[in-house]
């Protein structure tokens, strides 16, 4: 089944939006299969954002995601990746539609409240970056 890693970024956790965000994703009928709160170490942040290592905002990205605790979770389901990306909205909250997570809660392009995997392949890889295989729980979701 397709997997997506989501991270409730520091601005989401700090403003008490974790439950609201997870609830929206559960509301899509997707299955929550792993969840944890953590303070991201620099090494993990650099691995997670490696694709952006040559971008001018890379250091800010790593600094921000390591600045305060986040909540990492895995959601599974058919088309989980694209459905979650749609629920998140555009990267820049100023461009994101109302009714999307970033459109409703994002503060600016850095503090845009949520990370979500952008393809099934990155979904699987990002889940492995944040979770051990034994951390993933399987059960039957009643829709
Ligand atoms: P995504 O989170 O929508 O997949 P990416 O292009 O993968 O967007 O960028 C990763 C994160 O880097 C974004 O969520 C955003 O917080 C940040 N970011 C992207 N573009 C910029 C930028 O031009 N300036 C500052 N931060 C950016
Ligand atoms: Mg991305």
């Amino acid at each position: 089944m397709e997997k997506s890693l989501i991270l409730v970024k520091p601005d989401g956790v700090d403003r008490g939006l974790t439950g609201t965000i997870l609830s929206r994703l559960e509301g899509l009928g997707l299955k929550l299969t792993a969840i944890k709160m953590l303070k991201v170490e620099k090494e993990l942040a650099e691995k997670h954002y490696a694709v952006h290592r040559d971008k001018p905002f890379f250091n800010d990205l790593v600094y921000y995601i390591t600045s305060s605790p986040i909540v990492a979770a895995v959601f599974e389901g058919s088309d989980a990746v694209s459905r979650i990306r749609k629920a998140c909205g555009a990267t820049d909250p100023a461009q994101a539609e109302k009714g999307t997570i970033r459109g409703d809660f994002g503060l600016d392009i850095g503090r845009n409240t949520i990370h979500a995997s952008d393809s099934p392949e990155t979904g699987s890889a990002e889940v492995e970056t944040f979770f051990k295989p034994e951390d993933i729980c399987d059960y039957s979701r009643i829709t």
Side-chain angles (χ1 to χ4, degrees):
M1 198 50 85
E2 196 169 294
K3 289 184 177 63
S4 175
L5 175 84
I6 71 102
L7 305 176
V8 181
K9 294 186 179 184
D11 65 277
V13 172
D14 293 349
R15 289 181 292 153
L17 294 169
T18 302
T20 300
I21 290 165
L22 295 173
S23 178
R24 285 195 183 194
L25 301 178
E26 283 188 314
L28 298 176
L30 298 167
K31 185 163 68 170
L32 176 67
T33 58
I35 187 165
K36 66 180 171 183
M37 185 169 227
L38 72 156
K39 181 102 172 352
V40 177
E41 298 288 341
K42 188 165 181 253
E43 194 183 352
L44 176 62
E46 288 176 347
K47 183 175 181 191
H48 175 65
Y49 282 128
V51 68
H52 298 300
R53 85 175 75 75
D54 297 326
K55 306 263 175 66
F57 55 85
F58 179 70
N59 287 341
D60 289 344
L61 206 49
V62 170
Y63 179 80
Y64 175 60
I65 207 72
T66 58
S67 66
S68 191
I70 64 158
V71 170
V74 179
F75 281 93
E76 296 187 23
S78 71
D79 297 324
V81 166
S82 63
R83 291 170 65 207
I84 291 175
R85 291 284 292 192
K86 196 168 169 214
C88 289
T91 303
D92 184 351
Q95 313 290 326
E97 287 179 27
K98 285 289 157 211
T100 65
I101 293 167
R102 287 164 167 173
D104 291 348
F105 305 119
L107 298 171
D108 52 49
I109 197 162
R111 296 175 300 165
N112 60 357
T113 315
I114 185 166
H115 164 86
S117 305
D118 66 4
S119 74
E121 294 72 28
T122 52
S124 297
E126 290 179 349
V127 167
E128 281 182 30
T129 299
F130 277 83
F131 290 94
K132 300 191 197 89
E134 60 266 31
D135 294 333
I136 311 293
C137 298
D138 197 22
Y139 61 97
S140 297
R141 157 106 208 213
I142 299 164
T143 49

